[in-house]
Amino acid sequence: MPELPEVETVKRGLSAKLTGAVVQAVWHGKKPLRQPLPPTLQSKLAGRALTAIDRRAKYLLLRFSGDKTLLLHLGMSGRLTISEGPLPRQTHDHLVIDFADGQRLTFNDARRFGVVDFFTSGDEAAHPLLAHLGPEPLDHSFTPACLGQQLKNRKTALKVALMDQQVVVGVGNIYASEALFRAKISPLRPAGSLSAHELKSLTAAIKAVLKAAIAAGGSSLRDYVQSDGELGYFQHRFKVYGREGQPCPDCGSKIERLTQGGRSTFWCPKTQI
DNA sequence: CCTTGAACCTGCGGGC
DNA sequence: TGCCCGCAGGTTCAAG
């Protein structure tokens, strides 16, 4: 998936085209995603207007008239596309929403790690998928002191902690490596061992790398397409991710890869201390 | 409480 | 060509 910048990019793309549109018909498949799709989505959504789209962490929250929310999570391979008029159904399509103005929103997810849920908007604070999420990294309240508090006493590797959505949301495997490189901090450091200066650097690096990716329209690996079908292009700007063996942009020594928590970490052992 | 590792599922590219 | 392996942007759950 899509990490925060990609989800934010999708949110903006969908908002621009679908805000105000009224649901005409809904189709959904039978295969469960991370959890079963809500039953009778057709009757739940038909006739409602899409009033707004919000993002919390990597979740998209489609707000509908009548105080209802459709929650979408793209997992690793989820894609949302808008088409004009009918399109032949594709393998791994799971949800298709037709709007009265002729636009069609399709949720396709090969690996089925995504989520679709539906709830009354007022119940959001207690929603099991949303209730325990950490701070939003682009909020002004996400400060070095805040990050320090979230990492306090944690002995796990810093990179693994940054991907923990209870520590800070939206940072996934790519941007964790990228932020640590920018901050010049080793992914192997115990999470709770950062100095005030390092917390300041890392907080700034997280914000900067996410903002740059959003400004570039979200990154694109093999499964990701923006909501209008255009490919994002931030992947060309990765400084370390996916670049094992290539020269570090700062010092020229070789970028290395290691495995942490079952995921690949890319880093420069010379510049990241 | 914390940390680690496996599990969920499909597709793709590389090596033989 | 085909097969097997490792790898992929996320999250949850069990076990230590």
Side-chain angles (χ1 to χ4, degrees):
Chain A
M1 149 184 206
E3 303 181 31
L4 185 151
E6 291 75 32
V7 178
E8 181 65 25
T9 300
V10 171
K11 186 199 96 170
R12 294 178 185 187
L14 297 185
S15 294
K17 293 196 172 185
L18 293 179
T19 301
V22 175
V23 177
Q24 187 170 72
V26 179
W27 171 90
H28 70 265
K30 292 172 182 164
K31 284 187 177 174
L33 304 182
R34 206 169 83 207
Q35 56 185 238
L37 276 72
T40 63
L41 271 178
Q42 160 76 21
S43 63
K44 289 180 166 86
L45 286 171
R48 295 186 192 276
L50 179 59
T51 56
I53 303 180
D54 295 322
R55 178 191 59 73
R56 172 71 173 115
K58 301 171 189 172
Y59 294 94
L60 287 169
L61 302 169
L62 280 62
R63 310 297 192 184
F64 287 94
S65 55
D67 195 33
K68 298 296 181 183
T69 295
L70 183 72
L71 173 152
L72 300 176
H73 191 288
L74 300 177
M76 293 274 254
S77 54
R79 288 182 297 159
L80 285 166
T81 51
I82 295 175
S83 55
E84 294 281 344
L87 202 70
R89 190 158 310 141
Q90 307 282 311
T91 307
H92 307 309
D93 280 355
H94 298 289
L95 176 63
V96 177
I97 301 176
D98 285 315
F99 292 88
D101 64 2
Q103 296 189 92
R104 165 174 286 188
L105 175 65
T106 301
F107 178 51
N108 180 288
D109 183 8
R111 295 176 72 181
R112 290 195 275 123
F113 291 166
V115 176
V116 176
D117 202 4
F118 183 85
F119 55 88
T120 298
S121 303
D123 298 340
E124 187 163 316
H127 193 287
L129 295 175
L130 303 175
H132 305 293
L133 292 169
E136 285 286 336
L138 297 181
D139 276 4
H140 293 299
S141 60
F142 184 68
T143 59
C146 171
L147 180 60
Q149 188 62 38
Q150 295 298 98
L151 296 175
K152 196 175 178 182
N153 295 329
R154 295 198 58 160
K155 292 168 185 169
T156 191
L158 178 57
K159 193 262 193 169
V160 174
L162 285 182
M163 293 176 62
D164 182 340
Q165 302 297 296
Q166 297 198 64
V167 170
V168 58
V169 301
V171 178
N173 202 40
I174 292 179
Y175 298 108
S177 283
E178 292 294 311
L180 287 167
F181 176 77
R182 288 193 182 217
K184 296 181 164 32
I185 302 172
S186 166
L188 296 167
R189 288 278 297 282
S193 72
L194 272 58
S195 68
H197 174 261
E198 287 171 327
L199 287 169
K200 190 175 172 186
S201 298
L202 184 53
T203 303
I206 290 168
K207 290 174 184 280
V209 73
L210 296 178
K211 284 180 181 175
I214 292 169
S219 65
S220 173
L221 299 179
R222 75 171 73 91
D223 287 337
Y224 178 69
V225 183
Q226 278 176 228
S227 60
D228 59 2
E230 293 296 309
L231 291 173
Y233 53 87
F234 189 71
Q235 76 276 16
H236 298 305
R237 300 190 189 179
F238 294 154
K239 293 186 189 304
V240 289
Y241 184 84
R243 303 195 53 186
E244 179 184 15
Q246 295 179 45
C248 166
D250 285 2
C251 76
S253 64
K254 280 192 175 180
I255 292 166
E256 294 187 9
R257 179 167 76 96
L258 58 88
T259 299
Q260 295 181 286
R263 317 299 299 277
S264 289
T265 298
F266 297 89
W267 69 306
C268 172
K270 196 165 178 181
T271 60
Q272 295 178 248
I273 307 302

